[in-house]
């Protein structure tokens, strides 16, 4: 079986500063992996490097999706190839209507696949259906993308986009940050609905509580730009008990 | 934005970047090159005009000779040789037409290619079109339906012959012949344009639209539009413009006059896409235009909406003179410049009437090496008791070699008047771009999406039929501005 995502001895810098210092990770189809780590361990950098953001320079190693290196691909090409990043801080797009934004994203995939663009009416129905599951109402869909959304609304909107774009590899960057208990439950349920044998997820989080809702198959502890420890979901509970300090020392 | 991608593809296949750059091969009847009183007489004679019209033109011409080209705008205008141009060019086959069936098929095909179908079967739903080709109006659609409602919509050359008393009463009332250099030139040599008259109490049953096309080489286009809305009348009017891709510059100096009586409303929209020149700044149209409306009666309203993406140089300030009590003036503008384009555009709101209100929303987008200047005047006269103005000027910069400038002039001579001015300058942020890219939206579509979002407040003022066209135009005009 080809791994869905294979990260090989990945080194990356921001500016002159090395952040990732040799990460190796293999994610098979359908698996959910969690990455936990203290602040400044390189968690967010990792998500941006996977998505191909400008300014995040890979200095060594490789990232393969379905056996193909993504390093030369632009962020939009990676996205259309199935890479999705749920942002920790979703970005506001003033004046850009939600429906036209979502349609542009879906159509970009259709065009690349040589298919017809989505039917406008059918699309609105599809979006409304998926939005309802996430507690997103029509009024919110009519607003400009993320403008004036609460923290919880922004995160639900990210999961709505994930549901529409049906990625094969979803990276969720601190999806729990800024959420109260109820919002956390709605978002997690949305994510769990999207678990699928053909779809893998990488859940990046600081706290164990998200992993009570989105239960991972594997947990990795990232510190100082390296994976210090890997294990089953019980590893997350260990961290919860004793903190990251012991793990950092083990390096 | 998928629709944009599709259009961009079509455009690339068709003509490179400017999709309207083709030339129609059609025989034309031209006046000799150059400008003098004989040329003015020639134009007037060709148009079979009455004596008073010729006198009016000659007065304007003599006035023009004493004037100088304005140089106060933030524009670098190369000297223009007014003797090196043709002032009259008409498709040769044109004669008085009784129906569209008699229009030269070559001309119909040209407008078809521009996306403006004129023939009866395919015409735009509920939009009446007057098509002006070089110096003459070649076709006006829906005339019968309009005349049933009492609306007059015809070429201005025809109105001079058929409705002389209306034309004499109103032409030059809002923009006098000596108003400015380009208005004086237009008054002397204007060749055609549209005339609209909405009688008292009539709501014009459809959108009216004029489509201007410059085809001939070395010609200037000088059209003149006059719109009169009597008491309680309403009309929405749209103009579109394109020109072939040519290496030399061509002058377009139009005059538009609007007159709104008591409780009347005129909504005037422009989608301006004159050829902007190539990426090295060669060629393109000089768009030096005077547009002004007067709210003569109480509660009259005039609204200007413009989406300007074309022309090498734009000098244009659609204005409102708010004479009536509680009259309303609005100016919604998107001005986009790329490559070597220059634009100095804005508005004037002259408040005379008590309780008059005006709103100015200006969105300037500069890309490439272009310079984009908003210049606007808000003038509260002593009589403008409790008048109000709100102005918002937003500039968006794309790249680091372009310029955005905002020059507001505010004069208040009445202490009860309220004037608000807000201005912002921003860039498309790297965060916004990455967010769109991460959703699989390509770079050019992402810019188009973000810029259209920036312009949304203005776009929503356009008639429905033209919103999509304007959005696509913005996408196309920004091509090559990123990356």
């Amino acid at each position: 079986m080809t791994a869905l995502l294979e990260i090989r001895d990945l080194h990356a810098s921001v500016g002159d500063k090395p952040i990732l210092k040799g990460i190796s990770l293999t994610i098979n189809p359908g698996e959910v992996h969690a990455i936990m780590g203290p602040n400044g361990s390189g968690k967010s950098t990792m998500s941006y490097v996977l998505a191909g953001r400008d300014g995040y320079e890979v200095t060594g190693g490789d990232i393969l999706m379905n056996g193909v290196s993504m390093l030369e691909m632009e962020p939009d090409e990676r996205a259309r190839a199935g890479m999705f990043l749920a942002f920790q801080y979703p970005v506001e797009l003033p004046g850009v209507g939600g429906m036209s934004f979502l349609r542009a994203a879906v159509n970009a995939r259709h065009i690349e696949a040589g298919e017809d663009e989505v039917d406008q009416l059918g699309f609105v129905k599809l979006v409304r259906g998926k939005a309802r599951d996430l507690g997103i109402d029509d009024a919110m869909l009519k607003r400009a993308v993320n403008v004036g959304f609460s923290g919880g609304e922004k995160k639900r909107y990210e999961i709505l986009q994930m549901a529409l774009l049906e990625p094969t590899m979803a990276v969720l960057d601190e999806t729990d940050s800024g959420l109260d208990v109820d919002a956390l439950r709605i978002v997690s349920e949305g994510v769990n609905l999207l678990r699928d044998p053909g779809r893998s997820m990488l859940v990046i989080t600081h706290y164990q509580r998200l992993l009570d809702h989105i239960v991972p198959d594997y947990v990795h502890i990232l510190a100082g730009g390296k994976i210090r420890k890997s294990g089953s979901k019980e590893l997350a509970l260990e961290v919860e008990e004793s903190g990251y300090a012991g793990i950092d020392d083990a390096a | 934005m998928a629709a944009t991608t599709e259009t961009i593809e079509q455009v690339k296949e068709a003509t490179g970047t400017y999709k309207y750059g083709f030339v129609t091969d059609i025989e034309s009847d031209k006046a000799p090159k150059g400008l003098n009183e004989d040329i003015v007489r020639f134009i007037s004679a060709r148009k079979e005009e009455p004596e008073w019209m010729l006198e009016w033109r000659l007065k304007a011409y003599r006035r023009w000779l004493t004037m100088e080209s304005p140089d106060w705008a933030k524009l670098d205008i190369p000297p223009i040789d007014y003797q090196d141009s043709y002032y009259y060019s008409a498709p040769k086959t044109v004669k008085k037409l009784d129906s569209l069936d008699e229009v030269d098929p070559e001309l119909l095909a040209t407008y078809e290619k521009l996306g403006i179908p004129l023939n009866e079967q395919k015409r735009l739903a509920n939009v009446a079109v007057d098509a002006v080709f070089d110096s003459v109006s070649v076709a006006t659609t829906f005339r019968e339906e309009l005349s049933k409602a009492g609306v007059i919509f015809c070429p201005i050359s025809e109105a001079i012959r058929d409705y002389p008393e209306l034309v004499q009463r109103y032409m030059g009332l809002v923009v006098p012949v000596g108003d400015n250099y380009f208005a004086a030139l237009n008054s002397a040599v204007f060749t055609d344009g549209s005339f609209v008259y909405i009688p008292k109490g009539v709501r014009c049953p459809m959108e009216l639209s004029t489509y201007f096309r410059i085809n001939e080489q070395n010609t200037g286009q000088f059209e003149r539009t006059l719109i009169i809305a009597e008491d309680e009348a309403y009309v929405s009017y749209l103009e579109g413009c394109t020109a072939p891709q040519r290496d030399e510059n061509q002058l377009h100096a139009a005059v538009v006059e609007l007159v709104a009586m008591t409780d009347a409303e005129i909504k005037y929209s422009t989608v301006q896409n004159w050829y902007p020149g190539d990426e090295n700044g060669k060629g393109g149209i000089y768009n030096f235009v005077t547009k002004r409306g007067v709210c003569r009666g109480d509660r009259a309203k005039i609204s200007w909406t413009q989406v300007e993406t074309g022309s090498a140089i734009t000098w244009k300030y659609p204005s409102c003179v708010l004479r009536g009590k509680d009259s309303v003036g609005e100016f919604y503008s998107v001005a986009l410049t790329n490559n070597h384009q220059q634009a100095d555009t804005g508005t004037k709101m002259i408040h005379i009437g008590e309780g008059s209100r005006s709103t100015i929303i200006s969105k300037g987008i500069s890309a490439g090496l272009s310079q984009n200047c908003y210049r606007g005047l808000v003038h509260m006269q002593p009589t403008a008791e409790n008048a109000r103005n709100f102005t918002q000027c937003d500039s968006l910069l794309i790249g680091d070699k372009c310029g955005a400038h905002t020059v507001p002039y505010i004069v208040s001579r009445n202490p009860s008047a309220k004037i608000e001015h807000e201005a912002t300058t921003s860039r498309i942020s790297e965060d916004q771009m990455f967010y769109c890219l991460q959703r699989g939206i390509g770079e050019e579509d992402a810019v188009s999406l973000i810029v259209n979002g920036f312009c949304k407040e203005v776009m929503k003022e356009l008639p429905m039929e033209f919103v999509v066209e304007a959005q696509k135009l913005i996408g196309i005009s920004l091509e090559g501005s990123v990356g």
Side-chain angles (χ1 to χ4, degrees), chain B residues 197-226:
Chain B
Y197 178 80
I198 317 286
K200 184 175 172 179
V202 171
R203 203 182 154 84
C204 185
M206 60 186 75
E207 298 277 343
L208 302 184
S209 165
T210 300
Y211 203 86
F212 296 104
R213 172 75 178 170
I214 298 179
N215 188 62
E216 195 62 45
Q217 200 157 7
N218 292 321
T219 52
Q221 179 152 331
F222 306 93
E223 83 267 0
R224 190 149 189 128
T225 296
L226 176 58

Side-chain angles (χ1 to χ4, degrees), chain A residues 9-214:
Chain A
D9 192 29
L10 185 66
H11 289 71
S13 300
V14 178
D16 292 336
K17 200 179 171 203
I19 309 280
L20 303 184
K21 299 168 183 167
I23 290 182
S24 294
L25 186 62
T26 300
I27 303 179
N28 291 310
E31 290 177 356
V32 174
H33 289 234
I35 292 217
M36 298 181 70
N39 294 330
S41 58
K43 299 195 300 294
S44 281
T45 297
M46 188 160 155
S47 70
Y48 290 146
V49 169
L50 291 174
R53 184 169 193 160
D54 257 7
Y56 291 76
E57 198 196 343
V58 173
T59 51
D62 206 349
I63 305 166
L64 299 110
M65 197 155 78
N66 294 313
V68 181
S69 173
M70 291 203 299
L71 292 188
E72 295 302 314
M73 290 165 75
E74 295 296 324
D76 56 319
E77 295 170 320
R78 295 185 194 197
R80 293 194 296 270
M83 169 68 68
F84 180 88
L85 172 60
F87 284 60
Q88 181 179 5
Y89 303 109
V91 181
E92 296 187 2
L93 302 176
V96 179
M99 278 294 178
S100 29
F101 178 73
L102 298 172
R103 204 167 57 233
V106 172
N107 274 333
R109 285 157 176 78
H110 282 235
I111 288 165
E112 186 154 276
E115 294 163 11
D116 286 344
E117 292 186 20
V118 293
D119 160 68
Q120 196 144 342
L121 274 179
F123 184 73
V124 171
K125 266 190 189 159
L126 176 76
V127 173
R128 281 192 183 149
K130 295 200 189 269
R132 209 173 300 126
D133 295 339
L134 289 158
I136 295 172
D137 61 17
D138 285 3
M140 189 172 147
L141 290 172
K142 281 181 188 149
R143 282 150 67 185
V145 176
N146 291 319
V147 176
F149 287 16
S150 70
E153 284 174 333
K154 283 183 179 169
K155 294 300 170 78
R156 279 186 274 154
Y157 205 65
E158 292 294 289
I159 305 307
L160 171 65
Q161 294 177 54
M162 178 171 154
L164 282 168
L165 300 176
E166 302 180 323
T168 48
M169 183 67 230
V171 179
L172 281 66
D173 188 7
E174 308 254 2
T175 293
D176 52 331
S177 70
L179 293 187
D180 61 26
V181 181
D182 290 332
L184 181 63
R185 187 178 45 77
I186 295 171
V187 167
S188 306
E189 278 171 10
V191 172
N192 286 331
L193 277 175
L194 296 171
R195 288 182 81 148
D196 181 282
R199 177 174 300 132
S200 307
M201 297 186 193
L202 185 62
V203 181
I204 295 173
T205 181
H206 187 93
Y207 300 106
Q208 188 271 336
R209 67 167 191 167
L210 177 67
L211 305 181
D212 284 341
H213 297 273
I214 305 170

Side-chain angles (χ1 to χ4, degrees), chain B residues 403-439:
Chain B
H405 316 272
T406 302
V407 189
Y409 303 75
I410 296 169
V411 180
S412 184
R413 301 182 57 199
N414 184 311
S416 70
K418 287 196 185 74
I419 301 169
E420 288 175 76
H421 182 98
E422 290 180 7
T424 66
T425 302
S426 57
R427 292 174 172 283
I428 294 181
S429 76
E430 199 266 328
D431 278 355
Q432 291 175 325
M433 278 305 286
F434 177 62
Y435 192 68
C436 293
L437 292 174
Q438 211 300 308
R439 296 312 185 234

Side-chain angles (χ1 to χ4, degrees), chain B residues 72-133:
Chain B
W72 40 261
K74 193 178 164 44
L75 297 171
D76 182 13
I77 307 173
I80 298 168
D81 181 356
Y82 290 92
Q83 299 306 331
D84 189 34
S85 186
Y86 295 100
Y87 289 83
Y88 182 83
S89 165
K92 211 160 207 170
T93 49
V94 157
K95 52 181 166 90
K96 275 194 131 178
L97 300 175
D98 292 326
S99 91
L100 282 167
D101 302 338
E102 293 174 36
V103 176
D104 189 324
E106 192 71 30
L107 280 176
L108 286 180
T110 299
Y111 282 91
E112 196 80 41
K113 213 162 155 185
L114 295 168
I116 310 292
L118 295 175
N119 56 37
E120 302 286 324
Q121 298 80 32
K122 291 186 192 166
R123 54 195 180 179
L124 288 169
N126 215 34
V127 180
V129 179
D130 182 21
V132 176
F133 192 84

